[in-house]
Amino acid sequence: MTFYLIDPEIPAGFGQVSRDSSYDPPRVVSAHFKFHYPVDAELITSYSGAYAVTKPLADALAESDLTGYEFGPVTTSISALVEDPGALVIPLLFGLIVTGRAFIDDFGIQGHSDLIASERAAEFLWNRDARLRDGANRLNKDGNIILDL
């Protein structure tokens, strides 16, 4: 089976993240996203290694048979550095808690916070947002990026 490193948009900076260290790697179980930029994608991340999805993507994932995730709490705020905070609209978000094992389940985490998706999970995401394909990298069985030259 082919797996991909998925690199979503980062519209949010460092915020509070709660991790459950009883897992290896530790799971992000809740997060606060402090937004600097508008949300233009259904799957986002922050510099703190947390992932979130919009309600439409959460609903689509819930209806799919993809494995290795659940939803958790997310809080949001707008960075004090944003010049016009009233113009920054933040959609309803759900935390994407990655519960799967990288290279086994459809979603998994490698290292500290790299999101790994099976080919079918990657295709699911790419069909919803083709821009996610641009930042994706195919991985070999050892988790190294395959350079297609």
Side-chain angles (χ1 to χ4, degrees):
M1 182 184 302
T2 303
F3 287 87
Y4 292 85
L5 171 64
I6 303 295
D7 190 20
E9 167 178 312
I10 305 174
F14 292 100
Q16 290 292 102
V17 172
S18 296
R19 296 185 196 289
D20 183 343
S21 296
S22 67
Y23 295 96
D24 183 28
R27 286 184 190 160
V28 171
V29 293
S30 68
H32 178 82
F33 285 77
K34 186 176 282 193
F35 286 91
H36 297 273
Y37 304 102
V39 177
D40 294 329
E42 289 187 308
L43 170 65
I44 63 167
T45 188
S46 70
Y47 289 110
S48 57
Y51 293 92
V53 296
T54 61
K55 181 160 178 27
L57 180 53
D59 290 345
L61 281 167
E63 292 176 10
S64 77
D65 64 347
L66 296 173
T67 64
Y69 73 92
E70 58 188 45
F71 300 114
V74 168
T75 57
T76 63
S77 65
I78 297 174
S79 168
L81 300 175
V82 174
E83 290 184 24
D84 184 7
L88 195 64
V89 177
I90 308 301
L92 177 60
L93 296 172
F94 297 87
L96 182 68
I97 299 172
V98 181
T99 60
R101 293 165 294 165
F103 306 101
I104 295 172
D105 297 302
D106 288 311
F107 291 100
I109 295 290
Q110 176 179 310
H112 178 68
S113 62
D114 290 341
L115 181 61
I116 308 301
S118 68
E119 186 168 18
R120 71 188 201 119
E123 289 287 345
F124 177 89
L125 294 171
W126 297 337
N127 285 335
R128 296 191 62 86
D129 185 350
R131 296 172 297 173
L132 285 171
R133 184 185 298 269
D134 296 337
N137 288 291
R138 191 164 50 106
L139 302 173
N140 66 18
K141 64 182 172 72
D142 297 319
N144 298 313
I145 294 172
I146 297 171
L147 299 175
D148 295 319
L149 301 175

